[in-house]
Amino acid sequence: MSAEVVIAGGGILGASLALHLAERGQSPVVLLEREPQLGSQTTHAGAGFVGYWAGELEAELARYGIEFYERLQHDSGEDLGVRRVGLLFPALSPEGVEMLRQEEERERTFADVELVDADETCRLSPLLNRPAIYGGLYQPEGRQVPTRPVMHALRRRLQTAGVDVRTGVAALRAQTTGDRVTAVETTAGPIATNAFVNAAGARTRALAARNGIDVAAVPLLESRVVTEPLPQVTAGLPMLLFFERDLFYVRTEDGGLLFGAIAQRLGPTERVPHNDPPRTADLPDHEAKRHERLARDLADVIPVLEHARVKERASGLPTWTPDGRHILGAAPGIDGYFVLSGCNESGVTHGPGLAR
């Protein structure tokens, strides 16, 4: 068979790209995902935060991400859990307040943001322990986006839009004639096409290497944890992100709390073989357990974390780039080969905008 475009990778990047192409008249579009379900790998382990924490260049991507998820929820006719709850950065010291003041000055050129005092910070999030709080930075437009129901809704949209979604099928390499893509080899046979998009997440670099393309995106282990329901957790609580505690993040999830952190120092425990990254089911849980220890250590700030019981752990392999920028566009040397990678832990936030 043949296709107008073949996309490798059924996470938020590849799936939203397939939808944008189909809605703009490309047909047929084939989306390949080697797992049985879309979004079951790193997307499934995403924090589900959509807000403005990168730079001015990424602000439009975040803004579009908010619009995309709101529209997806509206069009689905279901409650996907997409909520405008705001994003709050609490300060845990006078130095932290100064850090947030500088951040507010930076962000106000591209985002609605407000520096608030300690009392207002704790009013916005009653989970916080007032003696530990010195102030906060608040983004009222922040959305929480649970990835599991969102990906289910996105799968239905893809089917309605006519995208040929093939799960359980992996892309192996692009076939070329001269310096041009002519087909994509897959585990289910070749697909003739002149356009191939490598959006394979943690496998992007390894897949590209089979065609002699070097993609500077390295998969690194990250995890998130969900607690059992807690009586202190109520609807509408803002998402929390702590600059002073390993970029520890917290938001509500099914009556409990979802939390994790972003590693500030990379060691051997965060690294995986980039030439053959494991599936998420085979990833170790030491990062999740590290985050659980961070949560206990943060009990002086969020007391409810001290005795919260863990319901679920999930790990993924977001891809990181040397300069913290995303990688997208035509790969050099092969006409018709495109790359969409380098999420830098912001795939849910920036994915739909990158796809557009």
Side-chain angles (χ1 to χ4, degrees):
M1 74 156 288
S2 62
E4 190 79 14
V5 183
V6 176
I7 303 167
I12 190 64
L13 291 173
S16 54
L17 172 60
L19 181 62
H20 281 81
L21 286 169
E23 290 183 339
R24 294 192 179 195
Q26 296 285 342
S27 180
V29 174
V30 175
L31 177 64
L32 306 175
E33 169 53 54
R34 70 170 180 169
E35 302 300 325
Q37 300 291 332
L38 298 184
S40 64
Q41 297 299 291
T42 298
T43 297
H44 170 72
F49 281 51
V50 179
Y52 303 95
W53 50 71
E56 187 172 359
L57 289 174
E58 289 82 8
E60 184 179 350
L61 298 175
R63 195 169 296 113
Y64 181 73
I66 290 172
E67 296 172 6
F68 178 86
Y69 295 118
E70 292 281 6
R71 184 170 65 250
L72 184 67
Q73 177 165 268
H74 176 270
D75 293 347
S76 74
E78 301 177 15
D79 182 2
L80 305 178
V82 177
R83 295 281 186 276
R84 179 182 183 271
V85 295
L87 175 57
L88 181 62
F89 303 83
L92 306 181
S93 67
E95 293 77 14
V97 173
E98 181 56 33
M99 184 189 307
L100 293 182
R101 184 173 290 110
Q102 295 176 20
E103 184 68 14
E104 186 267 344
E105 191 172 311
R106 184 184 73 88
E107 290 184 15
R108 66 186 177 195
T109 61
F110 56 82
D112 181 9
V113 63
E114 179 185 4
L115 199 64
V116 295
D117 63 19
D119 288 338
E120 178 64 8
T121 300
C122 294
R123 188 195 69 78
L124 289 166
S125 180
L127 294 177
L128 297 170
N129 179 28
R130 174 62 184 83
I133 303 301
Y134 286 75
L137 185 65
Y138 183 53
Q139 291 181 10
E141 292 301 314
R143 261 63 166 187
Q144 65 179 39
V145 178
T147 56
R148 195 176 307 176
V150 160
M151 288 303 300
H152 286 319
L154 187 51
R155 172 67 187 260
R156 293 192 295 271
R157 280 287 296 275
L158 290 170
Q159 292 173 325
T160 302
V163 174
D164 183 358
V165 178
R166 302 186 184 186
T167 54
V169 179
L172 299 176
R173 67 186 299 276
Q175 291 181 2
T176 59
T177 299
D179 60 356
R180 179 164 190 82
V181 171
T182 56
V184 176
E185 295 178 19
T186 81
T187 51
I191 303 172
T193 186
N194 293 322
F196 173 59
V197 183
N198 182 347
R203 293 179 57 243
T204 299
R205 187 172 188 177
L207 179 59
R210 295 173 185 171
N211 284 99
I213 299 167
D214 185 16
V215 177
V218 178
L220 296 172
L221 177 64
E222 294 285 1
S223 302
R224 56 101 172 129
V225 178
V226 179
T227 74
E228 296 283 355
L230 297 161
Q232 298 91 336
V233 174
T234 57
L237 289 174
M239 304 175 291
L240 302 174
L241 184 60
F242 295 88
F243 281 136
E244 296 170 89
R245 296 285 184 97
D246 292 324
L247 291 180
F248 189 86
Y249 58 79
V250 185
R251 71 166 175 84
T252 63
E253 175 87 350
D254 295 333
L257 293 176
L258 180 152
F259 63 80
I262 298 175
Q264 297 299 286
R265 294 179 180 85
L266 296 178
T269 60
E270 286 84 28
R271 299 182 185 278
V272 298
H274 65 77
N275 59 338
D276 186 24
R279 287 174 161 86
T280 57
D282 299 323
L283 291 172
D285 63 0
H286 57 258
E287 278 297 291
K289 290 182 177 179
R290 182 177 73 86
H291 296 163
E292 291 171 37
R293 291 193 295 271
L294 286 172
R296 304 288 183 252
D297 291 343
L298 205 68
D300 61 321
V301 179
I302 306 176
V304 71
L305 288 175
E306 184 173 7
H307 301 295
R309 297 175 59 184
V310 171
K311 180 176 74 172
E312 175 189 319
R313 301 181 181 97
S315 296
L317 295 171
T319 50
W320 290 84
T321 62
D323 62 359
R325 299 296 187 188
H326 307 298
I327 297 175
L328 71 159
I334 302 180
D335 192 13
Y337 195 116
F338 301 88
V339 175
L340 179 53
S341 185
C343 69
N344 293 294
E345 194 83 6
S346 299
V348 174
T349 296
H350 297 151
L354 294 172
R356 180 181 65 169

